[in-house]
Amino acid sequence: MPLRLLRNPTLQLLMAIACGALLGALDPPLAVDMKPLSDGFIRVIGWLMPFMMFLLIASGVAGLQARQRGLGSRVLIYFQTMALLSLLLGCLIAEILHPGTGVAANTPNLSLPLIDADATRSEFSWSAARSVVTRAFVQNPILQIMFAGLLTGALVARAEGHRHADTLRTLLEKAVGLLFKILTVILRFAPLAAFGAIAFTIGRFGPTSALPLLTFVAVMYLASVAFVLLVLAPVAQVSGTPLWRLIVHLKDELLLVTFTGSSVAALPGLIEKMQALGCDRQLTRLVMTTGYTFNLSGSNIYLITAALFLAQMAGIELTGSELLTLLLISLVTSLGSTSMAGSAFFTLIATLNLFHLVPLEGVGLLLGVERLMKCRVLTNVLGNCVACLAI
């Protein structure tokens, strides 16, 4: 029984965090030397990032359009609207509460901002924001690869009926499956990376440096609850099913997601329950399966909140046009999120690779609270169920 418990990923991560914190408190010089464990983990993810973004976006777009082209456009519009609302709400709450403000962090010298130095919060500049996005697209290959994924998926979808179209779609799905297996192996080293990040932080800055992570978790839960109450509840009500009734109807699946951390495990039950509420069978399958890639509101809230938290931790005050740029980039990179465990963390790294103002160095710290983000996966599941009702 003890050996079985030790194989639990959550327990492994908690033990790694505890050991890292203990090492940081007892032997700070040695703890600081643990930093490469976190840096190496992030670097390996960075190597896989272009492949992951291309395959997930290409297969998602191709699969969406292949099922029902006429309905696909409506589904995509709804999904992107929800993505924008979740990003805006997460940004608003993070900017109001400032969970990372006042935290000392070891950040490298940042390169010069890509936008005009004259841009301020009071002087919002659309042209400056467009300039940043354009330059980011030209200079950063990840965004170009994501665009290539969108184009590839659209071309495969338009070729529906052609003898090679199904072959290409199958190859994309197999490649995604192989990628997921590789990422699953990499995620096994997450406790080691969390150990290195926590040990370095506490060894360098003292035990109080771990407190902002708990603040970040609290802000995440607050933002998720706000999105559910202010966005999903009205949409569900207008669609004819009050949110409280939907939650009671899905209680078994929501409990499964909470205790396992896997929304995929609950997918068959969710599809059956939504059909019982009167949703069309084909529509439910379309929305639930594609929503696990394109309609992850909880992951979007995490993405923008984490980016702003890291910026505040580094003492970086973003201007109005910089915030808009971060929102636009996040809207694109969020297309690469999936329901796979750790996907939101990978998407965060891709976003910061594009948005150079926020240092990537501090991302490893968030591994320490990754397993506490139950609000993220629950918001994703509820968002897709409400989408079935609305669409």
Side-chain angles (χ1 to χ4, degrees), residues 327-355:
L327 283 169
L328 292 175
I329 291 176
S330 300
L331 192 61
V332 176
T333 55
S334 64
L335 294 173
S337 293
T338 70
S339 56
M340 185 194 71
S343 173
F345 182 77
F346 300 150
T347 306
L348 174 62
I349 293 177
T351 303
L352 298 185
N353 273 326
L354 291 171
F355 191 71

Side-chain angles (χ1 to χ4, degrees), residues 242-291:
L243 185 65
W244 64 267
R245 180 186 165 194
L246 179 64
I247 292 175
V248 171
H249 184 65
L250 302 173
K251 63 181 182 301
D252 293 335
E253 286 71 25
L254 294 177
L255 286 173
L256 176 64
V257 169
T258 301
F259 290 111
T260 65
S262 172
S263 55
V264 177
L267 182 58
L270 290 170
I271 292 176
E272 184 179 341
K273 290 286 185 71
M274 294 312 297
Q275 290 177 19
L277 280 180
C279 293
D280 177 75
R281 179 183 179 185
Q282 293 300 326
L283 171 67
T284 301
R285 292 183 176 181
L286 169 68
V287 173
M288 293 300 293
T289 53
T290 56

Side-chain angles (χ1 to χ4, degrees), residues 188-219:
R188 292 178 183 174
F189 294 91
L192 194 61
F195 168 79
I198 296 296
F200 169 78
T201 303
I202 294 181
R204 184 68 181 268
F205 304 109
T208 56
S209 59
L211 295 178
L213 292 177
L214 299 179
T215 305
F216 170 71
V217 172
V219 171

Side-chain angles (χ1 to χ4, degrees), residues 89 223-234 243 247 378-379 382:
L89 183 60
S224 298
V225 170
F227 180 79
V228 170
L229 295 179
L230 298 179
V231 178
L232 295 184
L243 185 65
I247 292 175
L378 287 172
T379 304
L382 277 177

